[in-house]
Amino acid sequence: MDTKGRLVAGSHNRNEFVLINADDIGRVTSVKELTGQICQICGDEIEFSVDGEPFVACNECAFPVCRPCYEYERREGNQACPQCKTRYKRIRGSPRVDGDEDEDEFDDLEHEFDYNEYEQQHMAGAVLSSRGIGRTASGITTHSEMDPSGVNSEIPLLTYGQEDDTISADKHALIIPPFRGKRIHPMPFSDSSVTFPPRPMDPKKDLAVYGYGTVAWKERMEEWKRKQNEKLQVVKHQGGKGIGDELDDADLPKMDEGRQPLSRKIPIPSSKISPYRIVILLRMAILGLFFHYRIRHPVNDAYGLWLTSIICEIWFAISWIFDQFPKWFPIKRETYLDRLSLRYEKEGKPSELAPIDIFVSTVDPLKEPPLITANTVLSILAVDYPIDKVACYVSDDGAAMLTFEALSETSEFARKWVPFCKKFKIEPRAPEWYFALKVDYLRDKVEPTFVRERRAMKREYEEFKVRINALVAMAQKVPEEGWTMQDGTPWPGNNVRDHPGMIQVFLGQNGVRDIEGNELPRLIYVSREKRPGYEHHKKAGAMNSLIRVSAVISNAPYLLNVDCDHYINNSKALREAMCFMMDPQAGKKICYVQFPQRFDGIDRHDRYSNRNVVFFDINMKGLDGIQGPIYVGTGCVFRRQALYGYDAPKKAKPPGKTCNCWPKWCCCCFGSRKKSKKGKSKDNKKKTKNREATQIHALENIEEGIEGVDSEKSALMPQVKFEKKFGQSPVFIASALLENGGVPAGATSASLLKEAIHVISCGYEDKTEWGKEVGWIYGSVTEDILTGFKMHCHGWRSVYCMPKRPAFKGSAPINLSDRLHQVLRWALGSVEILLSRHCPIWYGYGCGLKPLERFSYINSVVYPLTSLPLLAYCALPAVCLLTGKFIVPEISNYASIIFMGMFISIAVTSVLEMQWGGVGIDDLWRNEQFWVIGGVSSHFFALIQGLLKVLAGVNTNFTVTSKAADDGEFSDLYLFKWTSLLIPPMTLMIINIIGVVVGVSDAINNGYESWGPLFGRLFFALWVIVHLYPFLKGFMGRQDRLPTIIVVWSILLASIFSLLWVRINPFLSRDGIVLEVCGLDCN
């Protein structure tokens, strides 16, 4: 899309487009001013020919008609100009129709009779170019229906679609009959319904009768041999790796490395996984014995404590089952980047790697520093991937001029940074982290050129940082009249809640190249329209807007989304993902490739488990062996068709074998046949039902018409279905039909400009399936889990890719308050899903979701409920110490063995998980500690907030206020921010410490015999205190930094709770004081 370097702002509903140039005054331009001639039949713009001239259908009167209408009139209409009634002549590139005269002035044999190729190239263009799209849309057919060469285009075919069994396989050939599928535009065949009998080839006859031996046949054979030789070439790639061709070409030899799979599964060694599974089963058996003993042996004098502990333990066991069994089939994966290059990149030919659109989302530049976003964008532009295959879209959902200006500076610096990265192959390609690496650059890079250029580049980057920081400083104070552009035009986004949609193409157009004269990837700024009274759906709505605008501009078949603070750490990350997506064998059913999240700037001890290593290195590997990992919101490469709500392709099952060994009257066979027939009818009913409920895969799946319905309405029905699903944009609908991506044929810059503004308008999604079945799914603040869940329900599978060098790295909140609020947001999203119709407990049965995958999704939405039993369980030790009671009666030898077996099985399970997952014991322990800290704080408040929001419609927010800060490395670790989330864990900490003091004091006063029962209670209380130790350390890490309000509230609640307990004490007998008879005779 060519905007001549200007910012495009506009509103589809208001029918206005504003082109803002830094040199010219902004002006409001109507659609007709931006476009060329308009077709007088369909009203669309007339495209330009290959020579750059406007298309002219009639050479007599030059009546303005677009090419799709011209082709339609020649095939369907009266084949004459509507104005002068002169018969249309055939134009180069158009197929012949009946009545065309022989023309000797040009040779166009390639297109003269190639109806199928014409249909494929213009199937989306026909939809795009007509306002009455149903006329052409319903006539679109798929490649498999239309292309007779789909069987094998390289081998000559001489018989009509069938083989004769009487002729040996090496002596017959096939001729594909003319197309006999449904069409709205009829083809110029005399009778397409006529069937052609197989024509066997007689070896006794002259081969020339069948075409063999002729000049044309020899030329075709020579061409075929030449292509085969090209396929067998092993050509050196840029990194010293070879190149090849498609795997599905049956003529390539098996020893060619380019034919090998692009990735492979690496199962966990049986020496590690078998003991792990055995221990899990033993733990299940011990768990059953444990509950058998606990339920059969209540504590009569502390029945309430016992019952509470039993309920909590049962819930912990259920949640453990949901968490444990999805890890039953863990696997690892390995990719082969050299084979990817062998297959899809050949020397002297354009790369065949698939294009990728990359989405970067940001909202508030004051909370998400523009310098961090700029580093992410620079790492994307410098990625090791063909330049013309990469397009970066930056979504500014806050319509901030600071983000726009920072991106403009970034695009200018990219002209120097990108060639530097590719010339010296540096890693990582985010300058902030590259220049921060403490390595000896002279050890491996001894060339004086590198040292000189690196120093110069570092100076350039420091100047770039100064300019960005100056923009940030200037943006701290907003002028009263709002921001203005350099040319004096008011910034369209001055009102964040009421502004038009904005698009700016910074790179990839107008011949903008780097300092060495090479092309650069596309860099496009997008800010969707926002108006009062519309629901915008936060990040999910912004991502859906990016899907649509990217489909209009570049329409790559694959998408990568990253947060603004997640830069590409491995420049080959896109190639890693393509090893799965473009694999001809397994890639068709993959909806997304998820990479693990890795973080910079976290302290060495990872006090609050920010790295989340247990989840990414253990749980996700387990899910990869089932149906694939869940989507975690960033660092994920999607298949665009999967985001459109389509079902995964299904393999055709081979026909079942029939039994002919017994007579028909045999009851066994008769019964089986009857059963088979009955099952077949059920399958047919099920298929029919699924076909009605399934998303539309292609236009040939839509019926062209219904008997008794008007023909015009019948022709418009498919278009209505597409508009209800995708919205009323013919360009987007046309692009959605292109499975392999690409801009629809016949689209011009002006029409794309108009549609790009249209698809990001605030009311575009009204009465469509966006956010329901298409794109990112609405209904939860954690739209990532819901979106991945819907894809798995459609039968897709995902892949977990863990390259040796982490693909992406980001920033994580390392202070306690921010970390708790991050966990609060995740838990709140899970509660919203739990209380919605998309809850995995009851949604998606009878589809492609596997049972263990469902277990994982159930666990991901019910874990906030664990906060209630966890709070109660952490308070039980203090209650036991204060009352002198305990949740377990006097332990027998049998009970001791069960308890010891339970603790040992838990420890052995953790050790084995650390072995096959590659996780350290410190990471496992930090994860366990923060599970308790987050469970008694963030998860509890998320549960309350979610219930209030879903059931009562009340929105509650927990504010974060900065209290103190330190300078130096990891200063944020000691940054205290007041939040109500800190009260529950602090209260639990205080009451358990008080309980320990009271228990020990009581044991000292009562003598030696009271120490035995005390040990169980002390162990229980110390278990809680040790798990809350990082929380306590966060407060005491810097003395004199404890917020007074936290101490006041915590001591107040702990004191009130203790006093009420002493006053009420529900475990004291209600019959009064029990008096015993004195044993002494006082008389």
Side-chain angles (χ1 to χ4, degrees):
M1 183 176 64
D2 186 7
T3 61
K4 296 181 173 58
R6 294 177 290 183
L7 172 67
V8 181
S11 173
H12 176 76
N13 296 333
R14 303 184 181 185
N15 194 27
E16 64 180 21
F17 296 87
V18 180
L19 299 183
I20 302 175
N21 196 331
D23 301 324
D24 302 330
I25 300 177
R27 58 192 178 89
V28 178
T29 309
S30 64
V31 178
K32 292 187 178 180
E33 284 183 70
L34 296 176
T35 58
Q37 279 189 310
I38 302 299
C39 175
Q40 298 300 312
I41 297 179
C42 67
D44 202 359
E45 183 188 358
I46 296 177
E47 65 273 19
F48 289 87
S49 64
V50 180
D51 302 330
E53 299 294 332
F55 175 77
V56 178
C58 179
N59 294 327
E60 299 295 332
C61 65
F63 184 69
V65 175
C66 64
R67 186 168 191 130
C69 292
Y70 160 79
E71 299 292 353
Y72 180 79
E73 286 294 328
R74 279 172 48 82
R75 293 196 308 269
E76 291 288 325
N78 53 15
Q79 302 180 357
C81 173
Q83 178 169 289
C84 66
K85 307 303 180 183
T86 304
R87 179 182 174 83
Y88 279 138
K89 293 184 179 181
R90 189 174 78 88
I91 299 176
R92 177 186 289 273
S94 300
R96 282 187 177 276
V97 297
D98 293 337
D100 281 347
E101 299 177 356
D102 294 334
E103 298 164 341
D104 299 329
E105 61 269 18
F106 57 84
D107 182 14
D108 193 25
L109 293 177
E110 182 180 356
H111 302 91
E112 187 169 356
F113 298 103
D114 193 0
Y115 301 100
N116 297 324
E117 181 179 356
Y118 175 83
E119 288 283 346
Q120 291 175 14
Q121 291 179 350
H122 295 277
M123 76 171 187
V127 178
L128 167 67
S129 62
S130 176
R131 289 289 182 252
I133 297 182
R135 182 187 66 185
T136 58
S138 58
I140 295 173
T141 56
T142 60
H143 179 78
S144 59
E145 276 189 335
M146 299 165 51
D147 191 0
S149 61
V151 180
N152 193 336
S153 60
E154 306 294 345
I155 301 178
L157 310 175
L158 291 185
T159 59
Y160 282 101
Q162 300 181 11
E163 298 183 3
D164 194 353
D165 296 334
T166 61
I167 302 177
S168 61
D170 59 343
K171 291 186 178 181
H172 66 76
L174 298 176
I175 289 181
I176 299 299
F179 176 81
R180 295 195 295 270
K182 293 181 178 180
R183 290 183 186 271
I184 285 293
H185 305 305
M187 304 301 295
F189 294 120
S190 58
D191 188 3
S192 61
S193 62
V194 177
T195 58
F196 295 88
R199 185 179 65 168
M201 187 177 73
D202 189 356
K204 297 180 181 179
K205 292 185 178 181
D206 187 6
L207 294 180
V209 176
Y210 299 94
Y212 290 101
T214 61
V215 176
W217 175 259
K218 290 181 179 179
E219 290 178 353
R220 293 184 65 185
M221 288 300 298
E222 291 297 330
E223 179 68 15
W224 180 79
K225 291 179 180 179
R226 184 183 64 79
K227 290 182 179 180
Q228 293 304 301
N229 291 331
E230 289 181 358
K231 292 173 183 177
L232 294 176
Q233 292 176 358
V234 179
V235 189
K236 295 295 181 181
H237 182 46
Q238 298 176 6
K241 299 177 182 178
I243 301 161
D245 208 271
E246 288 85 354
L247 179 68
D248 54 357
D249 192 340
D251 299 311
L252 280 179
K254 293 295 182 183
M255 71 284 296
D256 183 12
E257 189 178 0
R259 284 182 50 82
Q260 301 303 316
L262 302 179
S263 64
R264 72 182 180 102
K265 295 180 182 179
I266 304 177
I268 305 298
S270 58
S271 59
K272 295 181 179 179
I273 197 62
S274 296
Y276 175 69
R277 292 170 178 168
I278 293 173
V279 170
I280 291 176
L281 296 178
L282 289 176
R283 186 172 170 181
M284 289 282 293
I286 295 173
L287 196 63
L289 296 175
F290 172 80
F291 281 116
H292 179 267
Y293 172 81
R294 293 279 282 123
I295 295 174
R296 294 288 298 272
H297 295 79
V299 181
N300 295 323
D301 58 344
Y303 192 82
L305 293 176
W306 170 82
L307 183 61
T308 302
S309 64
I310 286 292
I311 295 173
C312 295
E313 289 164 358
I314 290 176
W315 178 258
F316 293 152
I318 294 173
S319 63
W320 172 77
I321 290 174
F322 282 122
D323 178 70
Q324 189 66 60
F325 279 94
K327 296 183 282 189
W328 190 263
F329 302 103
I331 62 170
K332 299 178 182 179
R333 294 183 185 269
E334 185 179 24
T335 57
Y336 301 102
L337 300 181
D338 52 344
R339 295 177 183 175
L340 181 74
S341 298
L342 277 167
R343 183 167 307 176
Y344 294 110
E345 293 178 302
K346 300 189 70 173
E347 187 178 22
K349 292 187 177 181
S351 173
E352 296 180 5
L353 290 174
I356 301 178
D357 290 337
I358 304 177
F359 298 164
V360 181
S361 57
T362 181
V363 180
D364 188 352
L366 299 180
K367 294 181 180 179
E368 300 165 335
L371 187 62
I372 302 298
T373 304
N375 273 270
T376 300
V377 172
L378 289 170
S379 69
I380 293 171
L381 298 178
V383 72
D384 182 11
Y385 207 75
I387 289 176
D388 59 328
K389 307 285 186 178
V390 177
C392 178
Y393 294 82
V394 180
S395 170
D396 178 17
D397 218 30
M401 187 174 177
L402 174 57
T403 303
F404 178 82
E405 293 291 343
L407 209 58
S408 177
E409 292 286 349
T410 304
S411 64
E412 184 63 26
F413 179 71
R415 299 178 61 245
K416 306 170 185 177
W417 175 251
V418 172
F420 172 76
C421 294
K422 295 194 173 183
K423 181 178 181 180
F424 297 106
K425 297 180 173 60
I426 65 170
E427 297 285 356
R429 298 188 177 182
E432 183 70 21
W433 285 271
Y434 169 69
F435 290 120
L437 290 177
K438 297 179 180 180
V439 296
D440 185 4
Y441 290 97
L442 299 180
R443 182 178 58 186
D444 300 323
K445 309 279 187 179
V446 294
E447 302 88 350
T449 305
F450 169 73
V451 178
R452 184 170 56 253
E453 292 194 22
R454 181 185 178 276
R455 289 175 180 172
M457 185 54 61
K458 189 172 184 179
R459 286 194 298 270
E460 293 283 352
Y461 179 64
E462 293 298 331
E463 295 175 1
F464 168 72
K465 288 174 64 176
V466 170
R467 294 193 296 270
I468 296 294
N469 292 331
L471 291 173
V472 175
M474 185 175 60
Q476 298 297 324
K477 186 176 180 181
V478 182
E480 294 182 0
E481 65 278 6
W483 298 107
T484 57
M485 306 285 285
Q486 294 179 3
D487 58 356
T489 306
W491 171 247
N494 278 325
N495 189 341
V496 179
R497 299 181 180 179
D498 187 4
H499 64 83
M502 293 177 283
I503 298 175
Q504 169 75 56
V505 182
F506 284 107
L507 297 176
Q509 52 86 36
N510 286 338
V512 178
R513 297 176 180 267
D514 61 26
I515 57 175
E516 296 182 357
N518 300 319
E519 293 184 1
L520 289 168
R522 289 184 178 182
L523 176 60
I524 302 168
Y525 169 88
V526 178
S527 181
R528 57 178 174 152
E529 181 185 14
K530 286 189 176 180
R531 302 294 181 189
Y534 287 90
E535 180 63 48
H536 301 294
H537 301 289
K538 299 181 180 179
K539 181 183 176 181
M543 299 305 295
N544 285 338
S545 295
L546 286 184
I547 293 178
R548 296 192 294 270
V549 75
S550 64
V552 171
I553 297 175
S554 54
N555 195 33
Y558 302 104
L559 311 173
L560 164 65
N561 89 287
V562 292
D563 290 339
C564 64
D565 61 344
H566 274 69
Y567 65 92
I568 297 181
N569 183 64
N570 184 349
S571 62
K572 297 186 181 297
L574 300 185
R575 293 178 179 269
E576 295 276 356
M578 290 302 104
C579 285
F580 300 103
M581 287 295 195
M582 299 187 69
D583 193 303
Q585 291 182 336
K588 297 296 184 181
K589 294 196 68 175
I590 297 176
C591 57
Y592 61 82
V593 177
Q594 178 66 62
F595 291 89
Q597 292 185 17
R598 303 297 187 219
F599 301 98
D600 286 318
I602 298 178
D603 63 302
R604 181 168 56 91
H605 300 289
D606 191 15
R607 181 181 297 173
Y608 307 121
S609 189
N610 283 282
R611 293 191 178 94
N612 212 356
V613 178
V614 173
F615 174 75
F616 286 110
D617 289 12
I618 294 180
N619 294 65
M620 296 288 265
K621 287 180 182 177
L623 292 175
D624 199 18
I626 306 171
Q627 197 175 349
I630 64 176
Y631 168 44
V632 297
T634 183
C636 187
V637 177
F638 287 95
R639 184 182 301 275
R640 186 182 286 269
Q641 295 293 314
L643 281 171
Y644 287 161
Y646 295 152
D647 286 339
K650 298 180 181 179
K651 290 184 178 180
K653 295 182 179 180
K657 296 182 180 179
T658 57
C659 179
N660 296 324
C661 55
W662 295 94
K664 294 183 179 180
W665 48 265
C666 176
C667 60
C668 297
C669 292
F670 181 77
S672 64
R673 289 178 181 177
K674 186 175 182 180
K675 182 179 179 180
S676 174
K677 186 175 181 181
K678 185 177 181 180
K680 187 175 180 181
S681 63
K682 289 184 178 180
D683 290 341
N684 291 336
K685 292 181 180 179
K686 187 176 181 180
K687 288 180 180 178
T688 304
K689 185 177 180 180
N690 289 339
R691 191 180 299 116
E692 294 174 356
T694 298
Q695 303 299 329
I696 305 170
H697 282 272
L699 285 175
E700 74 270 13
N701 292 339
I702 306 175
E703 297 182 1
E704 291 182 5
I706 303 175
E707 293 182 5
V709 181
D710 184 65
S711 59
E712 294 183 1
K713 293 182 180 180
S714 175
L716 290 174
M717 283 177 62
Q719 177 63 14
V720 171
K721 290 184 179 180
F722 278 114
E723 289 181 352
K724 287 182 178 180
K725 181 175 182 178
F726 295 122
Q728 297 182 354
S729 171
V731 176
F732 179 80
I733 293 175
S735 66
L737 302 177
L738 302 174
E739 183 177 355
N740 296 322
V743 179
T748 61
S749 298
S751 61
L752 294 182
L753 172 65
K754 179 182 63 175
E755 291 300 323
I757 293 296
H758 180 198
V759 297
I760 61 174
S761 60
C762 55
Y764 182 83
E765 296 180 353
D766 293 346
K767 299 180 181 180
T768 67
E769 294 186 6
W770 284 101
K772 302 172 185 176
E773 298 292 338
V774 180
W776 269 259
I777 306 301
Y778 303 150
S780 171
V781 295
T782 53
E783 69 288 331
D784 44 9
I785 295 178
L786 202 52
T787 302
F789 174 65
K790 292 282 286 187
M791 290 185 187
H792 285 139
C793 286
H794 281 288
W796 296 95
R797 72 152 295 126
S798 54
V799 167
Y800 194 52
C801 181
M802 294 183 64
K804 293 181 179 180
R805 180 179 180 86
F808 304 92
K809 280 191 175 181
S811 304
I814 65 174
N815 70 76
L816 180 60
S817 301
D818 289 343
R819 174 69 168 139
L820 289 177
H821 272 267
Q822 182 188 55
V823 176
L824 171 67
R825 178 183 172 275
W826 295 343
L828 176 60
S830 297
V831 174
E832 290 174 341
I833 298 175
L834 177 65
L835 301 176
S836 70
R837 73 181 187 92
H838 290 120
C839 178
I841 298 177
W842 52 72
Y843 181 85
Y845 286 95
C847 62
L849 190 65
K850 295 184 178 180
L852 288 181
E853 192 79 11
R854 183 180 298 277
F855 267 39
S856 173
Y857 277 109
I858 292 176
N859 182 57
S860 67
V861 299
V862 302
Y863 74 89
L865 298 179
T866 309
S867 60
L868 296 177
L870 188 60
L871 270 170
Y873 212 69
C874 289
L876 283 177
V879 175
C880 293
L881 288 169
L882 292 173
T883 60
K885 309 296 181 181
F886 198 42
I887 59 175
V888 179
E890 185 176 352
I891 299 177
S892 63
N893 293 334
Y894 173 73
S896 301
I897 294 175
I898 293 178
F899 288 169
M900 289 179 61
M902 177 61 66
F903 288 124
I904 292 175
S905 65
I906 293 174
V908 173
T909 303
S910 301
V911 170
L912 293 175
E913 283 185 352
M914 288 189 295
Q915 278 190 343
W916 63 257
V919 176
I921 189 171
D922 53 341
D923 292 318
L924 191 70
W925 176 238
R926 293 299 185 205
N927 181 78
E928 184 74 16
Q929 286 179 316
F930 198 78
W931 175 75
V932 176
I933 295 173
V936 299
S937 58
S938 299
H939 299 173
F940 175 69
F941 280 98
L943 184 61
I944 296 175
Q945 187 175 354
L947 291 173
L948 290 175
K949 182 178 180 180
V950 175
L951 301 181
V954 178
N955 288 320
T956 57
N957 294 313
F958 301 97
T959 57
V960 180
T961 305
S962 179
K963 292 297 180 184
D966 291 289
D967 296 329
E969 189 178 9
F970 306 124
S971 60
D972 284 346
L973 184 64
Y974 308 108
L975 180 67
F976 283 100
K977 299 179 180 180
W978 158 244
T979 172
S980 54
L981 299 179
L982 301 176
I983 295 178
M986 192 65 185
T987 303
L988 288 174
M989 176 72 74
I990 292 176
I991 64 174
N992 276 280
I993 293 176
I994 293 175
V996 171
V997 173
V998 171
V1000 173
S1001 301
D1002 183 67
I1004 294 174
N1005 293 331
N1006 293 334
Y1008 175 78
E1009 294 181 355
S1010 61
W1011 282 97
L1014 178 65
F1015 281 133
R1017 304 186 192 102
L1018 283 178
F1019 175 80
F1020 202 11
L1022 291 175
W1023 178 89
V1024 177
I1025 295 173
V1026 169
H1027 278 77
L1028 294 175
Y1029 173 72
F1031 179 84
L1032 180 63
K1033 189 176 180 180
F1035 286 130
M1036 309 307 295
R1038 285 288 188 272
Q1039 289 78 14
D1040 304 327
R1041 297 297 187 186
L1042 185 62
T1044 307
I1045 189 67
I1046 295 179
V1047 179
V1048 172
W1049 274 101
S1050 300
I1051 294 177
L1052 181 63
L1053 290 177
S1055 302
I1056 293 174
F1057 180 78
S1058 301
L1059 293 173
L1060 286 175
W1061 189 271
V1062 172
R1063 179 69 181 86
I1064 300 173
N1065 198 353
F1067 301 104
L1068 187 66
S1069 175
R1070 299 301 180 186
D1071 298 332
I1073 300 175
V1074 179
L1075 299 177
E1076 296 182 0
V1077 179
C1078 181
L1080 298 176
D1081 188 2
C1082 298
N1083 297 327

